Amino acid sequence: MKTDFDYQAVPQGFIHCFKDDCSRSDTCLRRLAARHCTADKPLITILSPAAVPADSSQCSYFLPIQKTRVAWGVRNLFDDVPLSLAADMRHQIVSYFGKTHYYRIYRK
């Protein structure tokens, strides 16, 4: 499987798997992250090989490698919402995400 993997996109605390003899390691996101591990992050979270069951098809930590299409920016989020509701909705979103994060999303 060809992937354009950017290790910088791996979130802090993401569990890496270093189990080489797993039958699903070619399609596991945790194993892919472990293969591309760099010295930029000297501390990572790893999965104990003892925690992986002998039958790897039953592994509860398995994450399939799949691309997800996402959209950034919310400039037109309130276009179809009545003005009387939009102000309250915006306030709730800002209180959930915080002003800084909300405006980062808003501006893409």
Side-chain angles (χ1 to χ4, degrees), residues 38-56:
T38 63
D40 293 343
K41 292 184 181 177
L43 300 174
I44 58 172
T45 305
I46 63 167
L47 176 63
S48 170
V52 179
D55 180 14
S56 59

Side-chain angles (χ1 to χ4, degrees), residues 23-65:
S23 63
R24 296 168 63 176
S25 66
D26 292 337
T27 59
C28 183
L29 188 59
R30 297 187 191 285
R31 181 69 180 124
L32 182 66
R35 283 189 198 124
H36 290 87
C37 188
T38 63
D40 293 343
K41 292 184 181 177
L43 300 174
I44 58 172
T45 305
I46 63 167
L47 176 63
S48 170
V52 179
D55 180 14
S56 59
S57 65
Q58 301 297 321
C59 181
S60 61
Y61 296 99
F62 174 76
L63 285 177
I65 299 172

